[in-house]
Structures are given as structure tokens and as C-alpha cells.
């Protein structure tokens, strides 16, 4: 089941509506936004800045690679008592949710700038680029009825922790991929010659776009693979198998 989209799309995946539901069902909440743009064109190595305006000495300083910092939120799951945002509307729509995992697979990118000058002109360069994976640690919610039943609690919690493990694997792989590939993707493209405030603002937007798209190029295949792993355990067949452990 897919809930209505918000600014940050949330996918709620459950097994069956209440009219056909067994005693409980599992669910995941995943936040992952993507820039809907053509990566190949956006990562075209041809750039629009006028490098001929800069002397060789200044050009060499401007073209220095930025510092790249990659970090990720903790992947240690927290058990929460309050239903994750959106669960109530799903229940009102007829879905019975007894276990829910919420995590964030977005990347958040920040940029620090530096301006350099000499007699040949002025350049704006990216001094530092920081990429953070996720904005919070995973959260697992168990319905009160499940929490009061020892067998169901064990089964539901084990299921939800599989989603947490999938998220951790994704986060670890993405962190390694960004450290290994990001610098290569943005090399030589993180500066512009500027002549006025408007040109400077446009330069920032262009450089930021290149940086974000480079991150997305690395992120997207890993995110798709993680989603596939989540869907693989959120099936009626797997639910039935897991419920069978409690005689349901």
C-alpha cells in the first residue's frame, strides 16, 4: 500500500487490508527522496565557466579538490511507544499494523565556499562538501497487543530488525561508495570564474547541482537494492511463515 505523497515521500508497505488480515501484519516506513533529473546529462564533464579569465596560478588554486566529509546517522534501532507519523491514517484506511519500522535513506548535502582573487580575476570554489546519510536512527514500533504477547513480540521484533539490518547494510555500502567514488565524479568541476553577485549565486547553484547529482548517482542503485530486500520479506507468504511460529 502506498500512502499519499508529501514533500518527502513516505512508502508504507503492508500485506493485506483489515477485512482479510490475520491477527497482525508488518510494515515499513521509508523516507527517500530523489532528484528527478537525467544523471547522464547532468554529469556531463563539459562545464560552463570561463576558465580563460583566470591566470594559471589562480586557476591552479581554484581547481583544488574540495574536502569531502561523509557521515551517517547511527544505525542502532530504538524501540518507540508512539506510532510513527502516518500510521494512524493507514489504520483508518483499513490496514492493520502491528509492527512498523521507520528509517531515512535520504542524503543531506551541505557546501562551504571560498573566493580567491588575483589580478587576473576572481573564482568561487567549493572548499568543503559534507554528505550525511539519514537524519535520524531507525525506530521500531510494536502495537500494544503484540508487546503483551511474548511469542508475537519476538516474531514481530525479529521481522522489524531485519529491516533495520537492511538499512544498516545500505548505509554502510553508501558510505563506502561515497568515500571511494564521489571525489572522482566531481573532480575539476567544483569552481567557477565570477564577476558579480549574480554570477556568484548562479555558480553556487550550478556547483551544488553537480555535487548533489554525483551523490545521487552513487546512492540510487544501492537504495533500489535495499528496497528490493525490504519487499522480499514483506510478503503474505513470509508473514504466514513467521506467524506460524506462534500457531497463527
Amino acid at each position: 500500500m502506498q500512502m499519499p505523497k508529501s514533500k518527502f515521500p513516505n512508502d508504507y508497505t503492508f500485506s493485506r487490508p483489515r477485512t482479510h488480515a490475520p491477527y497482525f501484519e508488518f510494515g515499513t516506513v521509508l523516507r527517500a527522496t530523489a532528484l528527478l533529473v537525467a544523471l547522464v546529462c547532468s554529469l556531463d564533464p563539459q562545464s560552463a565557466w570561463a576558465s580563460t579569465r583566470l591566470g594559471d596560478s589562480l586557476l591552479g588554486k581554484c581547481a583544488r579538490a574540495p574536502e569531502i566529509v561523509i557521515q551517517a546517522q547511527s544505525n542502532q534501532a530504538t524501540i518507540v511507544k508512539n506510532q510513527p507519523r502516518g500510521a494512524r491514517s493507514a489504520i483508518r484506511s483499513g490496514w492493520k499494523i502491528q509492527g512498523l519500522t521507520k528509517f531515512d535513506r535520504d542524503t543531506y548535502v551541505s557546501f562551504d565556499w571560498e573566493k580567491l582573487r588575483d589580478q587576473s580575476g576572481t573564482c568561487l570554489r567549493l572548499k568543503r562538501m559534507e554528505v550525511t546519510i539519514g537524519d535520524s536512527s531507525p525506530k521500531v514500533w510494536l502495537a500494544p497487543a503484540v508487546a503483551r504477547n511474548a511469542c508475537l513480540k519476538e516474531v514481530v521484533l525479529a521481522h522489524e530488525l531485519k529491516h533495520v539490518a537492511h538499512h544498516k547494510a545500505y548505509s554502510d555500502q553508501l558510505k563506502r561508495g561515497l568515500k571511494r567514488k564521489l571525489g572522482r565524479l566531481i573532480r575539476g568541476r567544483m569552481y567557477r570564474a565570477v564577476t558579480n553577485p549574480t554570477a556568484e549565486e548562479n555558480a553556487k547553484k550550478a556547483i551544488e547541482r553537480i555535487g548533489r547529482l554525483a551523490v545521487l548517482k552513487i546512492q540510487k542503485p544501492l537504495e533500489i537494492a535495499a528496497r528490493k530486500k525490504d519487499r522480499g520479506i514483506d510478503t503474505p507468504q513470509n508473514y504466514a511463515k513467521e506467524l506460524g511460529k506462534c500457531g497463527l
Side-chain angles (χ1 to χ4, degrees):
M1 174 185 175
Q2 201 171 62
M3 296 298 294
K5 299 296 183 181
S6 63
K7 180 180 178 182
F8 298 106
N10 293 283
D11 294 338
Y12 297 83
T13 308
F14 309 111
S15 59
R16 291 181 294 275
R18 179 177 294 152
T19 52
H20 302 291
Y23 183 73
F24 72 93
E25 298 167 4
F26 307 97
T28 61
V29 180
L30 168 64
R31 190 173 106 179
T33 57
L35 302 175
L36 301 179
V37 290
L39 293 177
V40 175
C41 295
S42 299
L43 293 175
D44 186 338
Q46 297 300 320
S47 300
W49 71 85
S51 60
T52 55
R53 296 178 183 175
L54 305 177
D56 290 342
S57 176
L58 182 59
L59 188 62
K61 295 177 182 178
C62 294
R64 286 178 301 174
E67 177 188 5
I68 297 177
V69 178
I70 310 297
Q71 56 186 5
Q73 296 293 336
S74 169
N75 291 310
Q76 184 68 40
T78 302
I79 308 298
V80 297
K81 293 184 178 180
N82 297 327
Q83 289 178 340
R85 184 179 178 182
R88 288 184 179 85
S89 61
I91 292 172
R92 286 195 299 269
S93 298
W95 296 87
K96 188 175 182 181
I97 311 168
Q98 301 292 359
L100 198 63
T101 300
K102 181 179 181 180
F103 43 80
D104 181 12
R105 286 183 180 149
D106 275 348
T107 50
Y108 301 87
V109 190
S110 62
F111 304 87
D112 291 330
W113 306 96
E114 180 180 32
K115 276 203 293 190
L116 302 173
R117 300 182 179 88
D118 69 6
Q119 66 277 9
S120 69
T122 303
C123 81
L124 177 76
R125 68 176 291 267
L126 180 64
K127 183 178 181 180
R128 187 174 187 271
M129 179 177 178
E130 182 174 311
V131 183
T132 302
I133 304 168
D135 68 352
S136 60
S137 61
K139 293 178 174 56
V140 174
W141 173 79
L142 303 179
V146 170
R148 291 190 293 267
N149 183 307
C151 182
L152 290 179
K153 181 178 179 180
E154 181 180 354
V155 168
V156 176
L157 183 58
H159 177 99
E160 300 307 331
L161 290 180
K162 288 179 184 177
H163 287 301
V164 174
H166 295 168
H167 178 66
K168 182 182 185 305
Y170 159 83
S171 181
D172 291 345
Q173 290 171 352
L174 179 54
K175 190 173 183 179
R176 289 194 299 269
L178 289 168
K179 287 182 175 179
R180 188 172 65 252
K181 301 175 183 178
L182 184 56
R184 190 164 63 246
L185 286 175
I186 65 175
R187 184 179 299 153
R189 310 180 66 211
M190 297 288 101
Y191 71 98
R192 295 287 189 277
V194 296
T195 56
N196 55 61
T198 299
E200 184 175 328
E201 189 62 29
N202 290 337
K204 285 183 178 180
K205 290 178 181 178
I207 293 171
E208 287 182 2
R209 185 169 185 268
I210 290 172
R212 293 182 194 281
L213 288 170
V215 170
L216 182 61
K217 185 179 179 68
I218 300 167
Q219 173 190 358
K220 198 59 183 175
L222 298 176
E223 182 198 333
I224 291 171
R227 282 176 177 262
K228 184 176 181 181
K229 289 171 69 175
D230 284 328
R231 289 195 299 268
I233 64 171
D234 283 336
T235 64
Q237 294 81 8
N238 191 54
Y239 293 148
K241 179 181 178 181
E242 292 177 336
L243 287 169
K245 298 176 183 178
C246 298
L248 299 173

